[in-house]
Amino acid sequence: MSNRASAPPRLPLRALLPLTTAAFVTVLTEALPAGVLPAMSGGLGVGESATGQLVTIYAVGTAVSAIPLVTATAAWPRKRLLLTSMLGFAVANTITAVSADYLVTLAARFVAGIAAGVVWALLAGYARRLVPAHQAGRAVAIVMAGLPVALSLGIPAGTFLGHLVGWRATFWVVTALAAVLVAAIVAFVPDQPGAPAGRLVPRAALRRPGVPAVLFTTLVFVLAQTVFYTYVATYLGQVGLGDSVDVVLLVYGIASIVGIWYVGAHIDRKLRALTVAGTVLVAVAAAALAVLNDSHVLVYAAVTLWGLGWGGIPTLLQTAVADAAGDEADSAQAMLVTLWNVAMAAGGAIGGLLLDAAGPMTFPWTMLVLLVPVLAVVLTSRGFPKPVR
């Protein structure tokens, strides 16, 4: 048999990369206020803690809509659903770019959050259905790479552009990117059918062993991440790096890309070990940011560990819940997206309270405390199985 005949099929990158870009647009829309928070606060005439709630309201939109919308649109062709969501991003970011009213901006961010709920519930399953089963983990990793790329390139670039020509320009750029992405999805992404009507039953997924543990891990880990990341610019200002937010986020994002690359290469064999490693790295980074922040070099080192640890976590959690849920994976993904965004909403709100009450130095300590139960569950739960020899 020739090498050509025995070679495994290649991943359909032309179809997967638009899905990666959809994840990029979703994360960029979600996290951009964190990078331009001080300028956006001044432009809207509200305090920084209030501006941080633009991340919170986005997450609320996703949390309240993910399960109902995913259930209601279960029978829709997947391509039409993805295109509708991308158009929702374009409209919401356009309104954000032109609005001078805080309440109008809140409403636009809520609409963007609704679109995000559909996208996050859709992407992992879409990617898995475009490849053979043995390539599912890698396909999801490629799509989820849009998350760290948004953090490493999108947010720093948006922060730099905001400093250069104003924060509103950054949202115009995201609108343009969403419009280009719509054309790419039409051209390159194969359609996939929806599920039969009434197929999504969240309670059935919850009865699958391991699913509740993965959902708990998602809720607490994302809460820990969001409490800190939403106000990372404020924290960096406190430790003397306020003028280097874009550089710090670039370091964080590049480390995240390295993390997701490694996870993508090993996820199908080492899911539990990778999740433990990611949790430990983020915890060590939080401890360093709490006690070693007098040194800018050590802050950069800690941020690098943070990115390395967090980069693969979204892929690991989505793969774990899909594997644990089996044929109830769509329902489990919708619940994961809901809890993810409940945690984001709570993280933004709790972070704002902590900022007003005790200052930004409480953020790394909060992250560290929350990661203790996460590590315990990952080490013991059937939702994160040991490798099969």
Side-chain angles (χ1 to χ4, degrees):
M1 182 178 294
S2 67
N3 289 337
R4 180 180 298 271
S6 60
R10 293 182 178 180
L11 288 165
L13 293 180
R14 191 169 69 168
L16 291 172
L17 290 179
L19 302 184
T20 305
T21 309
F24 176 90
V25 169
T26 304
V27 174
L28 189 59
T29 302
E30 167 196 318
L32 193 52
V36 296
L37 192 145
M40 200 171 185
S41 173
L44 294 173
V46 297
E48 290 189 8
S49 60
T51 306
Q53 303 318 305
L54 295 175
V55 176
T56 302
I57 196 67
Y58 180 102
V60 169
T62 301
V64 302
S65 65
I67 291 177
L69 272 182
V70 168
T71 302
T73 59
W76 284 31
R78 303 293 88 183
K79 190 169 182 174
R80 182 173 70 173
L81 188 56
L82 183 59
L83 288 170
T84 302
S85 300
M86 288 300 108
L87 291 172
F89 279 123
V91 171
N93 282 308
T94 298
I95 293 173
T96 302
V98 301
S99 170
D101 185 275
Y102 178 68
L103 293 179
V104 172
T105 305
L106 276 177
R109 295 285 298 173
F110 184 80
V111 171
I114 292 174
V118 176
V119 171
W120 284 129
L122 178 67
L123 284 182
Y126 210 150
R128 290 168 72 95
R129 292 166 72 179
L130 292 175
V131 298
H134 69 278
Q135 293 181 323
R138 289 187 178 185
V140 174
I142 288 172
V143 171
M144 290 299 108
L147 196 160
V149 170
L151 297 176
S152 65
L153 300 179
I155 302 301
T159 302
F160 175 78
L161 184 63
H163 290 159
L164 191 65
V165 295
W167 63 269
R168 296 184 186 277
T170 63
F171 287 95
W172 279 117
V173 170
V174 182
T175 295
L177 181 59
V180 172
L181 179 57
V182 166
I185 292 169
V186 170
F188 300 121
V189 180
D191 201 2
Q192 293 288 335
R199 179 68 184 82
L200 295 181
V201 184
R203 285 178 295 178
L206 279 174
R207 290 194 289 268
R208 297 297 178 96
V211 169
V214 179
L215 295 178
F216 171 84
T217 302
T218 300
L219 177 67
V220 182
F221 208 145
V222 176
L223 178 63
Q225 170 77 6
T226 308
V227 164
F228 199 168
Y229 190 82
T230 302
Y231 298 97
V232 67
T234 305
Y235 168 86
L236 292 172
Q238 185 74 17
V239 299
L241 286 169
D243 294 332
S244 304
V245 174
D246 51 350
V247 179
V248 174
L249 292 180
L250 177 62
V251 171
Y252 172 89
I254 291 173
S256 296
I257 291 175
V258 175
I260 199 170
W261 168 80
Y262 189 84
V263 164
H266 301 282
I267 187 171
D268 293 317
R269 294 181 291 111
K270 300 179 179 180
L271 192 147
R272 173 180 282 186
L274 291 170
T275 311
V276 169
T279 307
V280 170
L281 284 173
V282 175
V284 170
L289 290 168
V291 301
L292 301 176
N293 49 63
D294 289 339
S295 167
H296 289 178
V297 172
L298 292 178
V299 169
Y300 275 103
V303 167
T304 301
L305 292 180
W306 187 5
L308 285 171
W310 174 256
I313 291 297
T315 300
L316 289 163
L317 293 175
Q318 291 203 320
T319 301
V321 82
D323 289 349
D327 58 4
E328 300 291 342
D330 287 347
S331 294
Q333 291 284 357
M335 287 189 290
L336 182 143
V337 169
T338 298
L339 289 177
W340 189 290
N341 287 277
V342 166
M344 285 184 59
I350 292 170
L353 292 174
L354 290 172
L355 178 61
D356 290 338
M361 302 311 296
T362 58
F363 296 146
W365 289 113
T366 303
M367 174 185 276
L368 184 60
V369 169
L370 288 171
L371 289 177
V372 172
V374 168
L375 184 59
V377 170
V378 172
L379 285 169
T380 59
S381 168
R382 293 174 63 184
F384 300 93
K386 295 180 181 179
V388 177
R389 294 186 181 276

